Amino acid sequence: MTMTKQSEIVKIEPLKYQDAKWATLVKITYTDPEGVERTWESGERLTRPKGSDIDGVGILAVLQDPTKPDESPRILLQKQWRPPANATVIEVPAGLIDPNETAEVCALRELKEETGYVGKVIEGDFGVSPIMFNDPGFCNTNLRMIHVTVDLSLPENQNPQPSLEDNEFIETFSVPLKDLWDECKKLENEGYAIDARVGTLAEGVECAKRWKL
């Protein structure tokens, strides 16, 4: 899909904590290493299921066709307008975890819903990342990155159709994984914002190339 009309912010206003459905602010009181009592203002999600250690997942989905071994693997990305950034953001597929759902199941479900692709979590200890905090100086939001391969030769991946909710307007595309850094720079110059997960992945790929890791 291609988005032909940009979303627009109508207004920004204070949110009373009793009206918050997704996130709130809290004041944390703590003592520093010298015993001095201090406070910290923090954002806090209200959506983490009871018993879950994460809020959601991000998905590194690599597209490959085993019948075309010479083709460079591609990373699946999305364009999605985000109100806090007031910009269309380049992101990886992602989503909040449901109650009693594993990170792996969440990732495959969100991948299918948002992109239409059917993937497979990479086996071994690279399939699921450690818990990562998005912005620990500001909020407690965290996630696991799930590393997934998508076999483009499978029938179910020939004509992927997303099942988006009525408030989701997502454009899915892919770029060669080896060119991710250059693509991020290009997209930024075109006016897009870069999600930190995408930027960090791009940095990792570029570091591996430059230092021949």
Side-chain angles (χ1 to χ4, degrees), residues 13-117:
E13 56 190 326
L15 175 65
K16 296 179 180 179
Y17 75 91
Q18 60 264 37
D19 295 332
K21 297 179 180 179
W22 299 94
T24 189
L25 285 174
V26 296
K27 183 169 75 172
I28 301 170
T29 302
Y30 68 100
T31 56
D32 70 15
E34 296 179 345
V36 177
E37 190 171 286
R38 302 182 184 276
T39 61
W40 196 285
E41 296 178 2
S42 172
E44 190 169 278
R45 273 197 177 274
L46 301 175
T47 56
R48 185 182 299 177
K50 184 177 180 180
S52 177
D53 58 359
I54 55 173
D55 295 298
V57 299
I59 306 158
L60 168 57
V62 177
L63 309 179
Q64 286 185 293
D65 187 338
T67 68
K68 301 174 182 178
D70 295 331
E71 287 192 354
S72 178
R74 302 178 70 86
I75 181 173
L76 196 62
L77 298 175
Q78 296 179 334
K79 297 176 182 178
Q80 185 169 191
W81 187 80
R82 294 294 192 177
N86 192 18
T88 299
V89 182
I90 305 302
E91 306 175 344
V92 292
L96 298 177
I97 196 163
D98 286 343
N100 303 314
E101 188 176 45
T102 66
E104 296 93 326
V105 169
C106 177
L108 297 181
R109 172 181 59 76
E110 288 287 351
L111 181 68
K112 182 70 168 61
E113 290 175 0
E114 291 190 355
T115 74
Y117 282 110

Side-chain angles (χ1 to χ4, degrees), residues 113-157:
E113 290 175 0
E114 291 190 355
T115 74
Y117 282 110
V118 176
K120 180 180 179 182
V121 178
I122 293 175
E123 296 180 357
D125 61 3
F126 185 63
V128 180
S129 80
I131 295 176
M132 302 179 181
F133 286 83
N134 297 4
D135 188 354
F138 170 67
C139 65
N140 71 337
T141 301
N142 65 7
L143 56 75
R144 291 186 189 272
M145 288 294 295
I146 310 301
H147 307 132
V148 174
T149 56
V150 176
D151 186 341
L152 296 178
S153 70
L154 296 177
E156 55 265 38
N157 289 325

